[in-house]
Amino acid sequence: EVQLVESGGGEVQAGGSLTLSCATSGFSPFDNAVAWFRQAPGKEREVVSCVRLTDGRTYYYPESAKGRFTISENDAKNEVYLQIDSLKPEDTAIYYCAKKASYCSELSSIYPYWGQGTQVTVSS
């Protein structure tokens, strides 16, 4: 059974940093991709970053997000991380990790497996 469990959220002040973790189980790194999405109140869910586990290739959406967001993986622990630096109040959202087979995608609708989410609140 595929499972994804996020952790690491919390309330932080603007300018601070957080590292979110996604503990995965039930699938191998081969030919899978794990993405981080976020959903702010009243807004649609949007992709932030994705890592293709097969080769470690990373994607950021938009590309400019690479400056503040860093996705990484630890295959030995079956975990994927999202580090967020220079947090802004507009980063306040529920952050989800999700898995799909093969390649990364920006489309949330084609990710069949999701975690329950972790809340990030950034105060000014």
Side-chain angles (χ1 to χ4, degrees):
E1 180 186 4
V2 174
Q3 289 190 327
L4 301 101
V5 180
E6 302 93 338
S7 61
E11 184 169 351
V12 295
Q13 292 210 334
S17 298
L18 270 180
T19 298
L20 308 180
S21 299
C22 175
T24 71
S25 61
F27 63 94
S28 72
F30 178 74
D31 205 24
N32 281 289
V34 173
W36 283 95
F37 290 81
R38 66 182 182 181
Q39 188 165 19
K43 294 188 177 181
E44 293 188 357
R45 192 170 298 188
E46 62 178 1
V47 65
V48 175
S49 185
C50 181
V51 58
R52 187 181 173 198
L53 299 179
T54 304
D55 55 12
R57 185 169 179 178
T58 59
Y59 302 84
Y60 295 89
Y61 308 96
E63 182 65 22
S64 59
K66 189 176 182 179
R68 294 198 302 121
F69 296 84
T70 304
I71 192 169
S72 61
E73 59 176 311
N74 185 324
D75 288 343
K77 292 186 176 181
N78 292 323
E79 293 182 343
V80 176
Y81 310 101
L82 181 70
Q83 179 178 331
I84 314 172
D85 297 317
S86 302
L87 279 157
K88 305 175 181 180
E90 51 263 44
D91 293 322
T92 295
I94 300 175
Y95 285 72
Y96 301 90
C97 59
K99 183 204 94 69
K100 65 177 294 293
S102 192
Y103 296 94
C104 286
S105 173
E106 303 176 52
L107 302 176
S108 61
S109 59
I110 64 175
Y111 284 79
Y113 301 100
W114 292 80
Q116 82 290 349
T118 186
Q119 175 73 48
V120 172
T121 302
V122 184
S123 57
S124 57

